[in-house]
Amino acid sequence: MAIINLNTRINAPKQIVFDLARNIDVHQNSASKTNEKAIAGTTSGLINLNEFVTWKGKHFGLYLTHTSRITKMELYDFFVDEMESGNFRSFIHEHSFIEMNGETIMIDNLVYKTPFGVFGKLFDKLFLKKHMTNFLINRNQILKAVAENH
């Protein structure tokens, strides 16, 4: 099991950051390096509780699909997306938002398991965890820029 925890400070109100974090269009813009597109489910605008989105993007030279559903949501405080189908054994991404002194701290807690036993663990250690971390950091920096210029 791999765990990625990130905290991103954003100079914007929590409600704006929360809505941008679940905005399909903003995600597509932030994932342009992997050419990620929403191809099924909620494919634009805000994704809500019990809705799903299927993404198709290029990672490690391969076009992969990943379907996640929003399984928990408390408006402006947190939401959770969980993989329904894709290339992981499991994938749960918790998004939390705390407002302090006019600033929002966006917290990503991503927990995933790779398939293929020891080979999957080795791939994760050598490549995947760094790739996923950089993907989230890039996404968060774009989300931060959009929120702070909102």
Side-chain angles (χ1 to χ4, degrees):
M1 173 176 21
I3 300 171
I4 299 171
N5 290 299
L6 296 174
N7 291 349
T8 306
R9 293 185 172 273
I10 301 173
N11 188 21
K14 182 168 70 167
Q15 181 176 350
I16 289 172
V17 177
F18 181 90
D19 284 345
L20 289 172
R22 63 191 180 105
N23 187 302
I24 301 297
D25 306 302
V26 170
H27 181 85
Q28 287 182 131
N29 290 337
S30 72
S32 62
K33 289 181 182 179
T34 57
N35 198 29
E36 260 189 40
K37 302 288 182 215
I39 60 169
T42 302
T43 59
S44 67
L46 299 179
I47 191 165
N48 291 297
L49 183 63
N50 297 320
E51 293 180 347
F52 77 93
V53 59
T54 299
W55 298 101
K56 182 177 181 181
K58 193 171 190 178
H59 298 268
F60 302 106
L62 303 170
Y63 277 97
L64 305 172
T65 59
H66 178 99
T67 300
S68 283
R69 181 174 300 276
I70 304 299
T71 58
K72 298 176 186 164
M73 181 182 290
E74 188 167 315
L75 281 179
Y76 315 122
D77 291 327
F78 73 89
F79 67 93
V80 177
D81 64 87
E82 295 187 46
M83 182 187 78
E84 290 192 335
S85 65
N87 294 290
F88 294 90
R89 273 188 39 220
S90 66
F91 184 101
I92 300 171
H93 188 176
E94 298 174 352
H95 310 254
S96 301
F97 305 84
I98 301 169
E99 192 167 0
M100 295 174 59
N101 303 321
E103 183 177 72
T104 299
I105 301 167
M106 182 174 66
I107 303 163
D108 289 280
N109 184 29
L110 174 60
V111 178
Y112 65 87
K113 293 180 184 174
T114 56
F116 309 120
V118 69
F119 297 109
K121 288 179 184 176
L122 182 61
F123 181 74
D124 185 52
K125 186 172 186 164
L126 294 175
F127 306 106
L128 184 59
K129 188 170 185 180
K130 182 177 181 179
H131 174 76
M132 295 301 295
T133 301
N134 288 336
F135 183 86
L136 289 175
I137 289 170
N138 184 64
R139 172 192 174 273
N140 291 354
Q141 290 306 308
I142 291 171
L143 195 147
K144 174 181 171 76
V146 172
E148 291 179 349
N149 290 310
H150 196 268

